[in-house]
Amino acid sequence: MNDQPTSMNRREVLGTLGTLGTLGAVAGMASIATIPGLANGAQNNLPTSPVPGAPSAVKWPFSPESMGFDAAKGVFSLPPLPYAPEALEPHIDKATMEIHHGRHHQAYVNGLNKALAEIAKLREPGADAAMHRHWMRELAFNAAGHANHVLFWNCMHAPKDKGGKGGGQPEGKLAEAITQSFGSFEAFSAQFRSTASTVEGNGWAWLVVNHAMGNRLMVMASERQQDLFAWGTTPILGVDVWEHAYYLKYQNKRADYVAAFMNVVNWSTVAAWHAMAAH
Ligand code: MN
């Protein structure tokens, strides 16, 4: 897994900034300028939560709690959907959500637990070394499948015209970062939708924070659950474009499904994840 910042990291950074702001030291200002994403006067406007206006209850998607990891048993369980299966209608239908979460996502959780158990057996004397390749593939496929879907469920919400938080555009620091990285929200959205619509076979499209590029935002794609992705990046938005994600309602019209997905993106949650990842 990529690095896993928490909101506590962010608070620690902000606490440091608060101290520096009080001192008003020139040396301190120089230090602030080296912190990616916080060089634009953030020391003068200290938020008390990861993002001003964002729900403080937003959880990092790859935490053990979000991922359903039981540390005592060393196994994962399927976390419940964070809303009712019909919540995303009319954009994503109830039956698709029930099958996608209850059957497909459950299968990845089961496959991940199986891979972890089989890999543990390969550490025993006399194990068949030729099986490492197989179980590494199973591990990558199912671990990515589990993490991808946890992020996917949690980056969506009921559309705003149904009383939810889905759709519209991001605000605040995330909006600024998208403009800096893509030119405009419209340019980002067009690139993201085109990427999602053209992934070959089954896959995903992502909005990622690229740490090596000073936390610049990038659109990436992955084939299957896990191929073509890059280390050193952290996804903060993802859309599943496997046929099981949309075929019941959209059949082969993947671009229509991707356009509908944009109506249920919970930008306040994505903004909170951005603040956690891009510190
Ligand atoms: Mn899926």
Side-chain angles (χ1 to χ4, degrees):
M1 199 60 65
N2 299 327
D3 73 356
Q4 299 179 11
T6 67
S7 58
M8 186 59 71
N9 298 138
R10 172 72 173 184
R11 289 190 205 101
E12 288 166 358
V13 170
L14 294 172
T16 303
L17 290 173
T19 302
L20 293 170
T22 301
L23 294 174
V26 173
M29 293 302 119
S31 297
I32 289 169
T34 65
I35 301 172
L38 291 177
N40 297 325
Q43 69 275 15
N44 296 322
N45 182 24
L46 294 174
T48 54
S49 64
V51 171
S56 59
V58 173
K59 302 281 195 311
W60 182 242
F62 307 132
S63 66
E65 179 185 1
S66 297
M67 293 278 287
F69 183 63
D70 184 329
K73 297 178 181 174
V75 298
F76 290 90
S77 59
L78 178 67
L81 280 174
Y83 35 69
E86 64 271 25
L88 305 180
E89 290 189 348
H91 305 292
I92 303 179
D93 60 285
K94 179 181 181 181
T96 294
M97 291 295 289
E98 288 177 334
I99 295 168
H100 195 176
H101 175 261
R103 302 187 199 175
H104 292 274
H105 189 174
Q106 180 71 64
Y108 304 134
V109 172
N110 296 347
L112 172 56
N113 288 328
K114 173 75 170 175
L116 291 171
E118 293 297 328
I119 289 165
K121 291 180 187 174
L122 294 179
R123 291 194 288 268
E124 296 172 358
D128 182 359
M131 293 304 290
H132 280 279
R133 177 185 295 177
H134 171 73
W135 287 113
M136 285 297 111
R137 287 174 169 164
E138 286 291 304
L139 176 64
F141 177 80
N142 289 289
H146 181 31
N148 294 2
H149 286 84
V150 169
L151 184 145
F152 182 53
W153 309 134
N154 285 286
C155 76
M156 297 187 289
H157 203 263
K160 287 180 177 172
D161 59 11
K162 301 282 186 181
K165 303 173 186 173
Q169 296 187 14
E171 300 174 351
K173 295 285 186 188
L174 177 58
E176 293 174 17
I178 286 175
T179 299
Q180 289 172 355
S181 299
F182 300 99
S184 68
F185 177 80
E186 290 71 23
F188 151 73
S189 179
Q191 183 184 344
F192 182 82
R193 285 181 282 118
S194 293
T195 298
S197 299
T198 56
V199 173
E200 186 173 17
N202 289 320
W204 294 71
W206 304 101
L207 174 65
V208 307
V209 176
N210 189 317
H211 305 293
M213 297 173 72
N215 291 331
R216 184 177 301 184
L217 297 173
M218 295 177 63
V219 169
M220 296 192 70
S222 51
E223 293 177 355
R224 301 198 296 160
Q225 319 265 32
Q226 74 280 29
D227 295 340
L228 298 181
F229 212 67
W231 304 115
T233 66
T234 302
I236 58 172
L237 173 69
V239 59
D240 186 348
V241 294
W242 287 57
E243 288 184 346
H244 67 225
Y246 61 90
Y247 210 83
L248 282 179
K249 181 175 176 67
Y250 294 94
Q251 294 82 49
N252 63 327
K253 295 176 285 187
R254 189 199 288 181
D256 290 353
Y257 156 71
V258 173
F261 167 79
M262 301 303 284
N263 293 319
V264 292
V265 173
N266 186 345
W267 286 110
S268 63
T269 288
V270 178
W273 293 343
H274 173 250
M276 296 175 198
H279 61 72

